[in-house]
Amino acid sequence: MKFEIPFNADILKKQTDINFGLTWNKLLKRHKRDLVICLCAIFLGILTIYGKNNIGFIFLVIGIYGILEFCKFNFAHKKAKQNYSKIVLDEISLQTEANENSIWEFNDEYFRYKDCKYDAKIKWIAFKSFRIIEDNLFLDLNVGNRSSYIIAKEEVGENYFQSIINLVEEKIKEPAARIL
């Protein structure tokens, strides 16, 4: 199967938002939970100090340290989001200016992706897993960080999208997640 897909900035934004969220959401939840625990430690420390017990200072210090760590993490998250948004906007600008269709080729031996910057032919063994999230197929490469090729159902149509999934299921044995 071979597709020539015109560039769509809205689809790219949606896909990159999903990808960024997948990377950061679990950490955000954990740090928010830790913040609640730290606030409880501060409250418990204040009550203990009020009750004339010096052990409350330990709870107070632990809670304040946790809040500082939360603030540090929150700052890092916002900075990463700004950097990621800039990269996405630069990519949108480049792709819009190039005005080329991307080529997505799925066959038994390899996957091929071509756009104005890349022309990659990748054997199926190079993929670690695949995920289907919000009608987007993520083909995850077997590299250190999570690097993926992402194609949306709306780019190829429902029938072709299902055919691609069937081929990918055959070629990549370990789906990371199947969220439809």
Side-chain angles (χ1 to χ4, degrees), residues 47-141:
L47 287 179
T48 308
I49 291 169
Y50 183 72
K52 307 287 189 217
N53 191 337
N54 289 337
I55 200 158
F57 288 107
I58 293 173
F59 288 113
L60 200 59
V61 168
I62 290 171
I64 290 171
Y65 174 77
I67 288 174
L68 292 174
E69 285 297 310
F70 176 79
C71 291
K72 188 170 80 172
F73 173 79
N74 206 28
F75 178 76
H77 173 258
K78 286 183 180 183
K79 186 77 170 164
K81 192 169 189 170
Q82 286 175 340
N83 290 339
Y84 196 75
S85 294
K86 184 183 179 328
I87 291 168
V88 170
L89 291 174
D90 290 347
E91 183 67 20
I92 288 171
S93 176
L94 179 74
Q95 293 288 347
T96 302
E97 187 177 307
N99 197 26
E100 290 182 21
N101 291 344
S102 61
I103 296 173
W104 295 73
E105 187 176 345
F106 300 86
N107 68 43
D108 285 336
E109 296 161 21
Y110 60 85
F111 162 74
R112 178 178 177 227
Y113 174 79
K114 180 184 180 304
D115 67 9
C116 67
K117 296 190 306 187
Y118 304 105
D119 188 355
K121 188 187 277 188
I122 305 167
K123 293 182 180 181
W124 290 110
I125 197 165
F127 291 97
K128 177 180 172 181
S129 60
F130 67 94
R131 300 169 285 157
I132 302 166
I133 302 168
E134 295 181 26
D135 291 333
N136 290 280
L137 173 63
F138 289 70
L139 297 172
D140 301 324
L141 286 169

Side-chain angles (χ1 to χ4, degrees), residues 10-24:
D10 293 333
I11 292 174
L12 179 66
K13 278 185 179 180
K14 179 181 173 190
Q15 290 171 337
T16 55
D17 286 347
I18 292 169
N19 203 26
F20 187 83
L22 290 170
T23 304
W24 283 89

